[in-house]
């Protein structure tokens, strides 16, 4: 019976790609928190989202881990290391060693720590070349989970998010439907009855021509790739000056989801 939940991580857990009516993001963790809260009496559930976009593993450990340990919740979701893996020259073996130290600290304070694997990037052009590196890191994450008894939210095996409709226009973050499917899978991982199947097939789409694909690629490069490269060259992060959402009411999350549904 989970009465408290803390989400720790980066843009994925903050919910980038899943905007609410006020422009702030919702995301899979907020949606997952609602699934958990639905199984508790009204007012008997606490949820805190500490995630901030763009953060590296060590930044997450420094900024978010102490607060998560202090709250000592029944459940912590921990998704970190993905931004490290995307950086040229990083060693997934070394990142995994730091990941394990974080899990050790969390496991001593929280009832359950749920970890997540990275996505299968075979269909993401800008990240396809990192697929082997991500798979190596995923193997370490699963091994750490085995050692500490952590449930695993396995994003690599979630086939429904291979569809382009599961992704935001930046091709790096999930769309609202993609976040919803991850939240549903999270519920399944914990053995909950969920209101829909995260692997439910998508409606068929008409085929796209070569010209349409090229037009989308040009738009994506201009709107997302060039600014991303610019931030990297300037040493900036998308999370600079961003504050974590903090403690959230499940009722408020439900209203924000309904407002954009």
């Amino acid at each position: 019976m989970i009465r408290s939940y803390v989400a720790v991580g980066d843009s994925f857990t903050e919910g980038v790609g899943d905007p609410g009516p006020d422009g702030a993001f919702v995301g899979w963790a907020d949606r997952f928190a609602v699934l958990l809260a639905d199984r508790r009496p009204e007012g008997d559930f606490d949820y805190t989202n500490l995630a901030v976009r763009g953060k590296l593993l060590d930044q997450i450990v420094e900024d978010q881990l102490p607060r998560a340990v202090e709250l000592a919740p029944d459940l912590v979701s921990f998704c970190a290391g993905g931004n490290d893996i995307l950086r040229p020259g990083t060693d997934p073996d070394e990142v995994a060693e730091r990941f394990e130290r974080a899990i050790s600290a969390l496991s001593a304070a929280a009832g359950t720590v749920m970890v997540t694997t990275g996505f299968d990037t075979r269909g993401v052009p800008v990240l396809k070349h990192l697929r082997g590196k991500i798979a190596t890191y995923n193997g370490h994450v699963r091994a750490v989970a085995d050692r500490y008894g952590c449930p695993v939210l396995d994003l690599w095996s979630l086939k429904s998010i291979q569809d382009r409709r599961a992704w935001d226009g930046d091709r790096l973050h999930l769309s609202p439907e993609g976040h919803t499917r991850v939240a549903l899978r999270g519920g399944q991982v914990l053995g909950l009855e969920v209101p829909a199947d995260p692997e439910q097939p998508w409606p068929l789409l008409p085929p796209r021509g070569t010209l349409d694909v090229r037009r989308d690629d040009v738009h994506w490069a201009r709107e997302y790739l060039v600014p991303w490269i610019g931030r990297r060259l300037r040493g900036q992060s998308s999370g600079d000056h961003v504050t974590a959402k903090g403690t959230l009411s499940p009722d408020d999350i439900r209203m924000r989801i309904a407002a954009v549904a």
Side-chain angles (χ1 to χ4, degrees):
M1 299 297 292
I2 298 171
R3 300 176 59 180
S4 54
Y5 166 44
V6 173
V8 174
D10 50 29
S11 59
F12 168 61
T13 301
E14 184 188 348
V16 174
D18 184 11
D22 53 0
F25 296 110
V26 183
W28 78 270
D30 291 9
R31 294 173 180 271
F32 176 60
V34 170
L35 290 178
L36 297 174
D38 285 344
R39 285 149 179 81
R40 301 294 310 165
E42 186 174 355
D44 190 28
F45 183 79
D46 296 318
Y47 169 55
T48 303
N49 191 320
L50 302 174
V52 175
R53 72 198 76 166
K55 296 303 181 182
L56 300 170
L57 174 57
D58 287 348
Q59 294 171 318
I60 291 171
V61 169
E62 180 179 357
D63 299 337
Q64 301 176 34
L65 221 64
R67 179 60 176 154
V69 169
E70 177 186 352
L71 291 169
D74 294 332
L75 174 68
V76 172
S77 62
F78 187 78
C79 181
N83 289 324
D84 299 71
I85 297 300
L86 296 182
R87 295 201 164 199
T90 54
D91 179 358
D93 299 336
E94 188 276 330
V95 176
E97 292 177 1
R98 292 186 278 124
F99 178 90
E100 181 162 5
R101 289 196 290 270
I103 296 302
S104 176
L106 280 175
S107 296
T112 299
V113 180
M114 181 172 70
V115 299
T116 63
T117 68
F119 298 102
D120 184 350
T121 58
R122 75 176 100 179
V124 185
V126 72
L127 299 178
K128 186 184 299 186
H129 68 288
L130 295 173
R131 191 172 183 235
K133 194 175 178 182
I134 295 169
T136 299
Y137 186 62
N138 284 350
H140 284 299
V141 168
R142 294 188 187 96
V144 171
D146 285 345
R147 288 194 285 273
Y148 290 87
C150 301
V152 179
L153 178 52
D154 189 357
L155 304 176
W156 185 281
S157 69
L158 186 56
K159 300 303 183 184
S160 64
I161 56 175
Q162 295 296 325
D163 190 284
R164 62 186 175 88
R165 287 167 287 184
W167 293 86
D168 187 42
D170 66 2
R171 304 184 184 182
L172 293 174
H173 299 99
L174 294 177
S175 66
E177 179 64 21
H179 278 284
T180 298
R181 288 175 182 251
V182 170
L184 292 169
R185 175 53 61 87
Q188 289 180 334
V189 167
L190 295 186
L192 306 180
E193 291 187 11
V194 295
D197 180 5
E199 293 284 25
Q200 180 178 346
W202 294 81
L204 293 177
L205 283 176
R208 291 193 301 162
T210 302
L211 182 60
D212 293 327
V213 173
R214 288 180 179 175
R215 185 184 299 114
D216 288 348
D217 289 344
V218 170
H219 173 78
W220 168 77
R222 181 176 62 248
E223 296 295 322
Y224 300 105
L225 180 59
V226 172
W228 180 77
I229 292 174
R231 287 196 301 270
R232 292 292 299 275
L233 293 175
R234 294 190 297 271
Q236 296 175 334
S237 168
S238 58
D240 291 344
H241 313 299
V242 174
T243 302
K245 289 183 280 190
T247 301
L248 300 172
S249 161
D251 285 339
D252 289 343
I253 297 171
R254 292 187 188 96
M255 287 189 294
R256 297 179 70 236
I257 292 172
V260 296

